[in-house]
Amino acid sequence: DAGVTQSPTHLIKTRGQQVTLRCSPISGHKSVSWYQQVLGQGPQFIFQYYEKEERGRGNFPDRFSARQFPNYSSELNVNALLLGDSALYLCASSLDVANEQFFGPGTRLTVL
Amino acid sequence: GQQLNQSPQSMFIQEGEDVSMNCTSSSIFNTWLWYKQDPGEGPVLLIALYKAGELTSNGRLTAQFGITRKDSFLNISASIPSDVGIYFCAGQNNAGNMLTFGGGTRLMVKP
């Protein structure tokens, strides 16, 4: 079975632009979580979605938003990009809210 | 943001040696997990722990959930070159909806 997939793998944007990152969970998983991993640090929780509803939100500004679709895939949107948004954005899926989370390969975002 | 205190930050060991790393928190967690991350990839789940005091093995890896529920450790026995990578601990909260990660332990193995 395919694992968690994310697209694109790499992305370069300039300050002030907007970006959309995509994630497809493992088949049968209904929950998707997003994490930001800055170089040299552990991942930081951004959002969790389950059955299209937000179930958790980390300490990130309103420029960050997400949604989950009926097929359980998800998008993460970041508006008004800042240099500090440069990071690896990881998507993780789980059967439901409290089960183990399995990570995708990430999207490397560079903001110039 | 909050992170767990993970130590050591890095280790450079000889192939065949055993490795130990640990993670501590000021908060209680219901679940502890250990992940390994290779360069350019996402974290891969190694071991999940669900009960205080639980000791779980996965091949050469052994991990324990601390009695206080505020700490965990991971041991790797007889290290091999492919063990190289960054190891992260993560605590899962009561609601189960978020993971809090440690800062990682970078493991380097000399053949």
Side-chain angles (χ1 to χ4, degrees):
Chain A
D1 283 342
V4 177
T5 59
Q6 293 186 242
S7 64
T9 54
H10 295 85
L11 203 52
I12 299 176
K13 293 284 189 179
T14 57
R15 281 178 296 175
Q17 285 189 312
Q18 175 264 341
V19 68
T20 298
L21 311 180
R22 296 177 176 83
C23 172
S24 292
I26 293 170
S27 177
H29 285 195
K30 298 182 179 181
S31 180
V32 170
S33 300
W34 288 94
Y35 292 80
Q36 180 195 65
Q37 186 177 24
V38 173
L39 195 64
Q41 298 183 15
Q44 295 283 328
F45 174 73
I46 309 175
F47 289 111
Q48 185 188 60
Y49 276 77
Y50 176 72
E51 293 281 11
K52 296 182 291 180
E53 291 190 1
E54 182 183 300
R55 288 300 189 97
R57 171 185 284 256
N59 187 25
F60 279 81
D62 292 343
R63 300 184 295 107
F64 289 76
S65 63
R67 56 180 175 168
Q68 186 178 33
F69 299 98
N71 67 353
Y72 305 112
S73 67
S74 177
E75 287 182 352
L76 174 71
N77 297 284
V78 186
N79 294 323
L81 286 166
L82 303 175
L83 295 179
D85 294 331
S86 295
L88 182 67
Y89 287 85
L90 295 162
C91 172
S93 79
S94 54
L95 281 172
D96 62 28
V97 170
N99 287 102
E100 298 96 334
Q101 296 184 18
F102 296 89
F103 285 83
T107 294
R108 171 73 62 189
L109 172 65
T110 301
V111 182
L112 302 177
Chain B
Q2 177 195 9
Q3 282 197 335
L4 305 179
N5 296 312
Q6 188 172 346
S7 65
Q9 286 187 323
S10 63
M11 302 180 72
F12 190 25
I13 63 170
Q14 193 76 36
E15 182 178 0
E17 289 184 349
D18 296 344
V19 171
S20 184
M21 59 192 78
N22 67 79
C23 211
T24 60
S25 170
S26 57
S27 304
I28 289 173
F29 289 106
N30 281 353
T31 302
W32 281 90
L33 305 108
W34 286 90
Y35 289 86
K36 178 175 183 275
Q37 187 173 28
D38 291 328
E41 299 182 13
V44 174
L45 182 63
L46 299 174
I47 291 181
L49 302 155
Y50 304 102
K51 288 174 54 178
E54 177 183 355
L55 186 72
T56 297
S57 293
N58 178 9
R60 294 179 295 105
L61 277 60
T62 301
Q64 185 160 27
F65 191 144
I67 289 291
T68 65
R69 294 166 63 193
K70 293 182 177 182
D71 64 315
S72 178
F73 73 75
L74 174 70
N75 286 340
I76 305 173
S77 63
S79 58
I80 59 178
S82 62
D83 291 334
V84 166
I86 303 178
Y87 292 79
F88 288 100
C89 61
Q92 190 165 24
N93 62 346
N94 287 342
N97 61 351
M98 66 176 285
L99 297 179
T100 301
F101 280 83
T105 294
R106 180 180 296 274
L107 178 63
M108 293 159 281
V109 179
K110 183 179 181 181

